[in-house]
Amino acid sequence: MSTPRRGTAKPPGKLRIIGGDFRRRMLPVLDHPGLRPTPDRVRETLFNWLGQALHGKQVLDLFAGTGALGIESLSRGAAQVTFVERDTHVAALIRDNLATLGATQGQVVTADAQAFLEKPSQPADLVFLDPPFHQGLAASCCAALEAGGWLASDAMIYLETEQSLTPAVPANWNLHRETQAGESIARLYQRVPS
């Protein structure tokens, strides 16, 4: 068994904030198995869809990963973003990046997203749901968001899944927009009060 040479480790990646107060800021991203940042093009499309609707909003970023979507929301005026990430190292980097930006409206919760959704809720105006691919988590998380009181009456829900999946979502979620990039498909739903 050979020992890796010094300096051969892959350097950490970078996350570029594409809009708002933190525009053009570059933040470190861990080289971590299963971590797939939402591509710049998809983020730009998503936030064009959302427009100026983020000022003063409560945002929930489940399976936060790099925190890219939640940080973009803070950059664009969200009042509060809760980042839920189960990996302690990944969650710690989100905390570090928020501190670097001085984004005190961001709260990082180190927890499994499904377990988090079983706790008492605070309704969110916007939810980002980007579960790991091929693990069957999308439908159960969508159902938990709806049943658990996690959504404001007219909440927007962004769901990113593998292209092969047509997720089952609550009947009162209307598909607003969708786009494809690489192996993923991104859908933005508008909740209609039931």
Side-chain angles (χ1 to χ4, degrees):
M1 183 169 141
S2 63
T3 312
R5 293 184 312 174
R6 281 187 168 195
T8 59
K10 184 177 174 186
K14 294 286 184 184
L15 166 67
R16 180 176 65 93
I17 307 303
I18 57 174
D21 294 341
F22 307 139
R23 185 177 182 178
R24 296 191 183 108
R25 296 287 297 267
M26 299 292 283
L27 300 170
V29 174
L30 291 177
D31 178 23
H32 192 72
L35 197 60
R36 24 167 209 90
T38 301
D40 286 9
R41 184 179 69 79
V42 174
R43 277 188 286 132
E44 189 163 11
T45 298
L46 169 62
F47 284 94
N48 284 340
W49 291 344
L50 293 169
Q52 301 302 313
L54 295 180
H55 284 278
K57 300 295 184 180
Q58 298 291 320
V59 178
L60 177 60
D61 189 353
L62 290 168
F63 303 97
T66 63
L69 297 174
I71 292 171
E72 286 285 355
S73 298
L74 288 171
S75 184
R76 296 160 189 259
Q80 175 73 37
V81 177
T82 301
F83 299 83
V84 181
E85 172 55 50
R86 73 176 179 183
D87 186 282
T88 55
H89 299 297
V90 176
L93 186 58
I94 297 171
R95 281 188 194 93
D96 291 347
N97 285 339
L98 291 172
T100 296
L101 296 169
T104 56
Q105 322 89 301
Q107 173 195 11
V108 181
V109 178
T110 306
D112 175 80
Q114 289 182 303
F116 178 83
L117 292 176
E118 293 171 5
K119 296 180 178 180
S121 61
Q122 176 182 356
D125 301 298
L126 173 62
V127 175
F128 298 117
L129 182 57
D130 185 7
F133 288 178
H134 309 294
Q135 293 188 23
L137 299 172
S140 61
C141 287
C142 290
L145 283 166
E146 183 63 37
W150 286 99
L151 302 172
S153 61
D154 60 347
M156 302 291 287
I157 304 96
Y158 169 83
L159 176 60
E160 188 174 329
T161 65
E162 60 271 28
Q163 278 195 25
S164 60
L165 180 68
T166 302
V169 300
N172 61 324
W173 292 14
N174 291 335
L175 182 62
H176 180 63
R177 300 275 174 89
E178 71 178 36
T179 188
Q180 296 182 16
E183 297 177 10
S184 67
I185 185 163
R187 296 176 175 95
L188 183 65
Y189 294 93
Q190 172 82 61
R191 182 180 187 269
V192 178
S194 51

